[in-house]
Amino acid sequence: MEVLGIDIGGTGIKGAIVNVESGELITERYRIPTPTGAKPADVANEVAAMVKHFNWKGVVGCGFPTIISNGKAKSFGNIDPSWVGVQVDELFSERTGLEFYIANDADAAGLAEIKLGAGKDVSGVVILITIGSGLGSGVFVDGKLVPNVELGIVGYKEYERFEFYASDAARKREGISYKIWGKRFKKFLDFVVRTFSPDLIIIGGGASKKIDKFKEALEVGTPVIPAKYKNNAGIIGAAMIAVQ
Ligand code: BGC
């Protein structure tokens, strides 16, 4: 079955039509910058532009960068605070006339990796970390998702959230090298390992393509590997949500 998968992030909205059984992208991936401020009406307009780009008429699966419970945003992550309480599936459905299924972006990326990618057939605790505008986390136990585990928003030292210290956005904002940033990211991974004793950690998000630049950060006494689908895991998993 083919589904339009959309991965909404703090800086980009990425989409493609996906074969949900094989995980293959049927089309080129298309990217639209997240509108400045990322307010609900503006993001909904870009989601409609994405649907139009693919001339899509079927169901849509969407990864969204906040806590999502039954299609509703329960936090605002790195987007506009006015998202809290918004029924995201209804907002996008009303704007496009199509049926939408929504999940947290890291949970969606994790789903693609656990079903078809780097975490396939791995039992025990598997955690996918997305490195991007924030630090997202998807936690799986014996292949089953524990939804909305938010490891990036836990505080660290003077930082209100770990992601303000160790996300890719933090690296860019502070203009630090991968070497220095890698030390920060390692602190985050150490915290994840201490808290969950995972059997495997998978790295996704934009920075998963650059993993060679921060290899030392990944030596945390637990296997840490890149996502099979790299940054496309979010699109593939988003499409998979629609058929779960
Ligand atoms: C949000 C998470 C999200 C992550 C990555 C964080 O700010 O709280 O829900 O998964 O950013 O987008």
Side-chain angles (χ1 to χ4, degrees):
M1 185 183 174
E2 293 177 6
V3 172
L4 173 59
I6 303 180
D7 181 13
I8 299 182
T11 49
I13 301 175
K14 291 129 316 199
I17 297 171
V18 178
N19 175 317
V20 290
E21 284 87 25
S22 68
E24 191 194 340
L25 300 196
I26 304 295
T27 61
E28 288 277 303
R29 138 198 165 117
Y30 184 62
R31 185 182 187 279
I32 300 173
T34 304
T36 312
K39 293 208 175 358
D42 297 337
V43 172
N45 282 342
E46 299 308 342
V47 166
M50 181 69 77
V51 166
K52 188 157 180 251
H53 170 83
F54 289 107
N55 191 21
W56 186 249
K57 308 266 188 280
V59 295
V60 186
C62 187
F64 200 74
T66 69
I67 297 170
I68 292 288
S69 176
N70 296 320
K72 185 188 272 191
K74 293 278 179 98
S75 67
F76 63 91
N78 290 294
I79 53 174
D80 194 69
S82 66
W83 278 101
V84 177
V86 171
Q87 194 69 44
V88 185
D89 47 4
E90 280 175 16
L91 174 71
F92 295 166
S93 288
E94 277 160 20
R95 184 69 184 74
T96 60
L98 301 179
E99 199 176 328
F100 270 75
Y101 294 87
I102 316 282
N104 170 264
D105 55 351
D107 287 356
L111 188 67
E113 290 295 322
I114 209 89
K115 297 282 182 218
L116 303 166
K120 188 167 183 265
D121 300 326
V122 181
S123 54
V125 178
V126 177
I127 302 186
L128 176 120
I129 302 291
T130 61
I131 311 171
S133 306
L135 286 173
S137 48
V139 175
F140 294 79
V141 182
D142 290 336
K144 204 171 176 321
L145 174 68
V146 182
N148 293 313
V149 176
E150 290 273 321
L151 299 178
I153 62 171
V154 172
Y156 178 70
K157 290 193 172 163
E158 71 273 27
Y159 291 83
E160 192 187 321
R161 304 184 197 168
F162 234 122
E163 65 185 9
F164 293 166
Y165 172 73
S167 65
D168 204 37
R171 181 187 62 77
K172 290 179 184 154
R173 191 170 52 237
E174 297 191 33
I176 52 179
S177 64
Y178 271 103
K179 199 170 163 61
I180 307 265
W181 173 83
K183 289 194 175 134
R184 293 185 175 200
F185 185 63
K186 185 174 187 308
K187 296 251 169 44
F188 176 66
L189 287 184
D190 285 337
F191 151 72
V192 172
V193 170
R194 274 198 314 273
T195 312
F196 285 91
S197 301
D199 297 282
L200 177 67
I201 296 177
I202 303 171
I203 304 294
S208 59
K209 292 174 286 188
K210 309 234 169 91
I211 214 159
D212 286 344
K213 297 194 179 200
F214 54 94
K215 268 202 192 113
E216 291 102 70
L218 310 181
E219 283 161 24
V220 291
T222 290
V224 182
I225 58 174
K228 173 178 172 188
Y229 297 113
K230 305 285 189 302
N231 204 18
N232 285 343
I235 298 174
I236 298 165
M240 290 168 71
I241 297 163
V243 294
Q244 283 282 302

